[in-house]
Amino acid sequence: GDSVTQMEGPVTLSEEAFLTINCTYTATGYPSLFWYVQYPGEGLQLLLKATKADDKGSNKGFEATYRKETTSFHLEKGSVQVSDSAVYFCALSETSGTYKYIFGTGTRLKVLA
Amino acid sequence: DGGITQSPKYLFRKEGQNVTLSCEQNLNHDAMYWYRQDPGQGLRLIYYSQIVNDFQKGDIAEGYSVSREKKESFPLTVTSAQKNPTAFYLCASSIEPQETQYFGPGTRLLVL
């Protein structure tokens, strides 16, 4: 079945550092890909998405490009802030017709001032 | 303001007790979902509903039940058959099954 693998955390960075969180997927079809962010004690918020190969999703300085050839959707930000500290989840929508989402295990980011 | 609400924020369950988690949306979305989140793990799908009066089991449906009598409501009951119910429960909805899912704030269930 479809699956998502993302890098283990925690990731600890200093403010203004460059961020990359790796995400790779396995899917039989052409899924839509998502990054969600979760702040402590809250639900998930959609950060960005891409629906087809070579699409770039972007929001609040975060970017991710749908790479079909490497089955990847890595999250990047050029300069992180303390307020970016959260857990980030990569997800895909199944292509089997159920439209279920498959989530990665999450990557905790901690940004130090 | 349109959105998804979940209540209560915290819920305590005694042994052998059934408890019901509420999920309401005023976004006019057709599809609704329940996920379970355990520490250090991704979200796992419990049940989903693509339209009113219809729902399907997800990956971990055992010990849970749902109903979808109204478009805006999708309550989840954690039954006494669920032996390890302590977790964070998240409800989500999407305008159509294939569209982006949006999440509520979650309910944390604890066992006394």
Side-chain angles (χ1 to χ4, degrees), chain B residues 3-82:
Chain B
I4 304 172
T5 57
Q6 292 186 241
S7 62
K9 188 173 176 67
Y10 296 94
L11 186 57
F12 298 91
R13 193 190 91 163
K14 296 179 182 177
E15 284 292 332
Q17 186 182 38
N18 293 354
V19 292
T20 297
L21 285 63
S22 169
C23 177
E24 303 276 332
Q25 53 95 2
N26 60 3
L27 301 167
N28 201 33
H29 285 180
D30 277 331
M32 297 186 75
Y33 311 82
W34 274 106
Y35 292 90
R36 171 177 170 143
Q37 184 179 24
D38 293 283
Q41 297 189 33
L43 281 67
R44 293 182 290 169
L45 184 66
I46 305 172
Y47 269 97
Y48 64 104
S49 168
Q50 296 187 347
I51 200 164
V52 177
N53 293 321
D54 186 48
F55 51 83
Q56 287 80 39
K57 292 182 179 180
D59 301 316
I60 55 165
E62 186 173 348
Y64 300 96
S65 65
V66 294
S67 62
R68 186 84 189 278
E69 298 175 0
K70 297 187 295 182
K71 187 175 187 177
E72 58 270 22
S73 178
F74 191 41
L76 173 74
T77 296
V78 183
T79 75
S80 57
Q82 173 49 244

Side-chain angles (χ1 to χ4, degrees), chain A:
Chain A
D2 295 357
S3 66
V4 173
T5 302
Q6 59 181 109
M7 64 188 285
E8 293 211 13
V11 173
T12 303
L13 296 173
S14 297
E15 206 165 23
E16 298 184 4
F18 185 85
L19 169 71
T20 300
I21 300 178
N22 291 337
C23 172
T24 57
Y25 68 91
T26 302
T28 53
Y30 300 96
S32 294
L33 301 173
F34 306 86
W35 277 101
Y36 284 86
V37 59
Q38 184 178 36
Y39 299 99
E42 298 183 8
L44 274 66
Q45 299 176 25
L46 178 67
L47 184 58
L48 52 84
K49 69 177 184 180
T51 57
K52 61 183 187 296
D54 300 325
D55 265 3
K56 178 187 279 189
S58 61
N59 185 26
K60 298 181 182 178
F62 291 90
E63 292 183 341
T65 301
Y66 191 140
R67 302 280 188 205
K68 181 171 173 290
E69 63 276 12
T70 54
T71 61
S72 65
F73 193 55
H74 304 322
L75 182 68
E76 297 181 335
K77 186 176 186 184
S79 175
V80 293
Q81 306 300 312
V82 172
S83 57
D84 293 326
S85 298
V87 180
Y88 292 82
F89 290 92
C90 184
L92 64 80
S93 62
E94 273 195 341
T95 56
S96 60
T98 64
Y99 305 111
K100 295 190 298 181
Y101 279 23
I102 305 297
F103 284 85
T105 54
T107 301
R108 182 175 299 279
L109 170 65
K110 186 172 182 180
V111 180
L112 304 176

